[in-house]
Amino acid sequence: MKDDSKAAKEHIARAKAYFQRHDVLRATASVIAALRLVLTGKVTGIDRITIDSALKEVLHNMNRVSEVKTMFPKGLVYAKGQEKTVHDSLVKLFLELRKAQESESYQEQLKRKLTLDKALNRGRRYLAAGNVNDALDAFKEAASCYVDEHSIFRMMGEWCMACKQPKLAVRYLKKAATVDPDKRKVQFNLLKALTASGDKMGAAKLQAQLQNSAQ
């Protein structure tokens, strides 16, 4: 029992490490390995509580990445009694991720995603420091790496709003409105940005669209 518990914890630790490196494929494989040990029923007591908590944390983080959102828009929820369902869903995800390597080299994909992530973080730091031009350059680099990470434009817009740059926010949120799965949230954010930027006509037009769609 202790060996299974220890192995499950090691798999989860590896999953976290892979996820931090944006290696979703290997992170998924490690979570699957941990779940298989849980499903044997040999992980019990305080070890089971610890492992369940760790699995919930890993899945919560994985739910934020585009690869998971595309296949599971509502996310993967780990709960008692649902271990087999989550396991089977992750196996499907793993197979789809592996298949995706046929269209984009996995190493190239990792390199692109890391470049995108670094550019986003750099742009966010520049914005917070008031270096708008440098932030724009960083966001431009991030956008050049964009393939299916649809939430990046919403994120850039939200960061611009947080740093009191509503006109810049409008630029990114308009793009987000065309690609982000959470279109409703983007539209509300865009409405705030249009209003804050002084674009009364644009805000009024979007407000009318939102009201019509709600009816």
Side-chain angles (χ1 to χ4, degrees), residues 79-98:
K80 192 172 183 179
Q82 298 297 315
E83 297 89 350
K84 182 66 165 57
T85 300
V86 174
H87 170 273
D88 293 347
S89 295
L90 286 171
V91 170
K92 291 179 182 178
L93 174 64
F94 177 83
L95 293 174
E96 285 298 316
L97 290 173
R98 192 167 62 182

Side-chain angles (χ1 to χ4, degrees), residues 16-174:
K16 291 180 178 180
Y18 285 133
F19 184 78
Q20 289 297 320
R21 298 202 294 269
H22 301 274
D23 193 338
V24 182
L25 180 68
R26 288 188 175 88
T28 301
S30 294
V31 175
I32 290 171
L35 277 169
R36 284 178 177 167
L37 290 172
V38 170
L39 286 168
T40 64
K42 296 179 180 179
V43 180
T44 59
I46 190 66
D47 285 328
R48 177 61 190 270
I49 294 172
T50 301
I51 290 168
D52 281 351
S53 178
L55 283 168
K56 286 179 182 178
E57 179 188 350
V58 172
L59 286 172
H60 174 74
N61 290 330
M62 289 181 66
N63 282 334
R64 299 183 310 195
V65 302
S66 59
E67 292 92 331
V68 179
K69 285 182 178 179
T70 299
M71 184 173 289
F72 305 103
K74 295 183 179 179
L76 293 169
V77 180
Y78 181 78
K80 192 172 183 179
Q82 298 297 315
E83 297 89 350
K84 182 66 165 57
T85 300
V86 174
H87 170 273
D88 293 347
S89 295
L90 286 171
V91 170
K92 291 179 182 178
L93 174 64
F94 177 83
L95 293 174
E96 285 298 316
L97 290 173
R98 192 167 62 182
K99 188 188 300 183
Q101 294 182 38
E102 298 173 4
S103 59
E104 182 180 7
S105 163
Y106 197 60
Q107 290 303 317
E108 289 178 357
Q109 185 185 83
L110 284 178
K111 183 178 179 180
R112 177 181 61 78
K113 286 180 177 291
L114 283 170
T115 300
L116 186 153
D117 189 59
K118 288 179 180 178
L120 281 177
N121 288 331
R122 191 166 65 251
R124 189 177 189 180
R125 290 197 302 271
Y126 282 140
L127 262 184
N131 299 327
V132 176
N133 289 334
D134 288 335
L136 288 174
D137 287 341
F139 288 158
K140 183 178 180 180
E141 181 183 355
S144 72
C145 297
Y146 163 72
V147 174
D148 57 3
E149 299 82 7
H150 306 312
S151 63
I152 67 169
F153 300 103
R154 172 175 52 82
M155 290 162 50
M156 288 189 285
E158 290 173 347
W159 295 338
C160 287
M161 280 295 289
C163 293
K164 304 188 185 304
Q165 295 290 339
K167 290 184 178 180
L168 292 180
V170 169
R171 177 191 303 183
Y172 298 116
L173 291 172
K174 281 185 175 180

